[in-house]
Structure formats: structure tokens, C-alpha cells
Amino acid sequence: MNIKVVRGNPTAEELAAALAVVHARAATAQQPSGARGASAAWSDPARIATTRVPAPGPASWTRTYWPS
């Protein structure tokens, strides 16, 4: 990757900041598009509903859907 400063005279800190942004953008662009992020896994309903719903019966009102 070649980067060229066309105008101005950036300081070493300014140039380092600009290169850090370019490097971060290139790193995120290389991730596969089908990858699920941590937030997507957290909001997945299958994470909560890991067990089946209890079968209806005379005492089914005493059981809850949410696992304990």
C-alpha cells in the first residue's frame, strides 16, 4: 500500500493518526461479510430458548417457559 501526501506538510503525529485510520478501515474491510458479530449472537432468540416448551397438562401453569 502506497500513501502519498499531495498537499500540506503533516507532522509525524498527524501522519500516524491518518495511517491508523486507513489501517483500521482496511482491517474491517477484510472481514467476511457473513460473519456474525457479538451483538448479533447476543440478540439471537435461540440463545434464550434452549429447551422445549413444557407440554400442556393439569399442572402446566406452575411451570415457566424461561429456563432457570
Side-chain angles (χ1 to χ4, degrees):
M1 174 185 337
N2 293 329
I3 296 178
K4 180 179 177 182
V5 177
V6 178
R7 287 187 194 171
N9 190 14
T11 64
E13 292 84 13
E14 291 172 338
L15 192 56
L19 289 176
V21 171
V22 170
H23 181 65
R25 292 279 295 181
T28 58
Q30 292 175 357
Q31 291 180 349
S33 61
R36 293 179 53 172
S39 63
W42 178 85
S43 63
D44 186 12
R47 182 184 63 85
I48 297 171
T50 57
T51 59
R52 296 181 58 123
V53 177
S60 63
W61 63 272
T62 61
R63 296 183 298 255
T64 180
Y65 170 77
W66 300 104
S68 53

